[in-house]
Amino acid sequence: MAKSSNNLVNPSAREAMDRFKMEAAAQVGVNLKQGYNGDLTSKQAGSIGGQMVRKMIEAYENGMK
């Protein structure tokens, strides 16, 4: 059985990633709750992931300056 790819290298980072995800969801207007969010549409989930990627790229670019 293949190892899950969503395991964080540093398990204590999970809380920070959860906060980051909640912040991204709020920014795109998606009501994300703690725990199970299987009722989200693909569009909603994608908008959260897209916002997270935009913020990570922005942070990386700002760090390069």
Side-chain angles (χ1 to χ4, degrees):
M1 186 162 146
K3 182 178 176 184
S4 177
S5 64
N6 67 350
N7 289 332
L8 297 174
V9 175
N10 181 351
S12 64
R14 169 112 13 239
E15 185 177 312
M17 285 302 293
D18 286 343
R19 280 195 312 270
F20 182 46
K21 183 174 26 174
M22 296 298 269
E23 183 180 307
Q27 290 171 346
V28 295
V30 175
N31 184 22
L32 194 65
K33 55 191 176 291
Q34 293 292 332
Y36 181 73
N37 283 286
D39 56 337
L40 293 180
T41 64
S42 295
K43 182 177 180 178
Q44 290 171 318
S47 67
I48 294 168
Q51 180 67 8
M52 291 174 73
V53 170
R54 279 190 287 281
K55 294 302 242 177
M56 286 185 270
I57 291 170
E58 181 183 306
Y60 177 77
E61 289 174 341
N62 288 339
M64 292 181 62
K65 294 179 182 177

